[in-house]
Amino acid sequence: YGDGWNGAYWTWSTKEGYSESGTLESGSDGTACLGDGNSTCISVYVSGGAYPSEVYWWLTDGQSGGAGDSVTYGACPLPTSAPSSAPTPAFVCPGETMTMYDSYGDGWNDAYWTWSTKEGYSESGTLESGSDGTACLGDGNISCISVYVSGGAYPNEVQWWLTDGQSGGAGDSVTYGACPLPTSAPSSAPTPVFVCPGETMTMYDSYG
């Protein structure tokens, strides 16, 4: 609803006891920089707040959750106890991962993502149901890919993020990979962009 996380806070901490906390103060989305890039293993936890059902978040390594969820990232030690059976190998997307979100929780309602190459190859997909999901775009062997998301029946409910930090909604398009730069020079030198040395958290509040 665009009113922030209402008392829900993220906290990142290290095994040495250092920690920091923060929140989405207001609005429907924002980002936070977790860590300084020097900690080998960090734990992230997001508390409940007044409206936990509105709280969503994503990390740039692909992990995500809501209020009450926690994850670790970095070179964290494996559990000392052996699993009862060999774990199923996790699928690793060789291309770009898209995180899809629908604020109403009923899928994208005929909004579709399409990734394509300049050679004419393309694939499409959608969030069939629910409030969130992921899709793997490309096979990692294509140097430049264009991504477009169509409108659907309820375009205001559609949001998406890529692992390279780009994001958008219905009707938006981006390119990623080693795409050629525009031939015309910019009118002025670009402003240096802040680069988070740790892990970037994208925060979302569904109350919008």
Side-chain angles (χ1 to χ4, degrees):
Y1 194 69
D3 59 347
W5 273 7
N6 294 285
Y9 284 82
W10 55 259
T11 299
W12 69 265
S13 58
T14 68
K15 64 181 181 180
E16 292 80 17
Y18 183 78
S19 65
E20 287 185 6
S21 297
T23 188
L24 179 63
E25 295 286 353
S26 61
S28 60
D29 59 88
T31 59
C33 182
L34 312 186
D36 58 5
N38 295 320
S39 300
T40 57
C41 177
I42 287 181
S43 299
V44 179
Y45 170 72
V46 176
S47 63
Y51 303 102
S53 61
E54 299 176 4
V55 175
Y56 296 90
W57 50 270
W58 294 262
L59 299 182
T60 44
D61 69 357
Q63 298 185 93
S64 62
D69 292 334
S70 61
V71 298
T72 59
Y73 71 89
C76 300
L78 295 174
T80 54
S81 58
S84 56
S85 60
T88 302
F91 170 74
V92 177
C93 174
E96 184 80 2
T97 299
M98 170 183 279
T99 300
M100 302 169 286
Y101 179 75
D102 182 83
S103 62
Y104 194 72
D106 61 346
W108 272 8
N109 296 285
D110 295 326
Y112 284 83
W113 54 259
T114 299
W115 68 264
S116 59
T117 70
K118 62 181 180 179
E119 292 80 16
Y121 183 78
S122 66
E123 287 186 5
S124 296
T126 188
L127 178 63
E128 295 286 353
S129 61
S131 59
D132 60 89
T134 59
C136 182
L137 313 185
D139 59 5
N141 295 319
I142 303 168
S143 59
C144 177
I145 286 180
S146 298
V147 179
Y148 169 72
V149 176
S150 63
Y154 303 102
N156 60 312
E157 298 176 4
V158 173
Q159 289 185 300
W160 51 271
W161 293 262
L162 299 181
T163 44
D164 69 357
Q166 299 185 91
S167 62
D172 292 333
S173 61
V174 297
T175 59
Y176 71 88
C179 300
L181 295 174
T183 54
S184 59
S187 57
S188 60
T191 302
V193 177
F194 169 73
V195 177
C196 172
E199 184 78 3
T200 299
M201 169 183 281
T202 300
M203 302 169 286
Y204 180 75
D205 181 82
S206 65
Y207 197 59

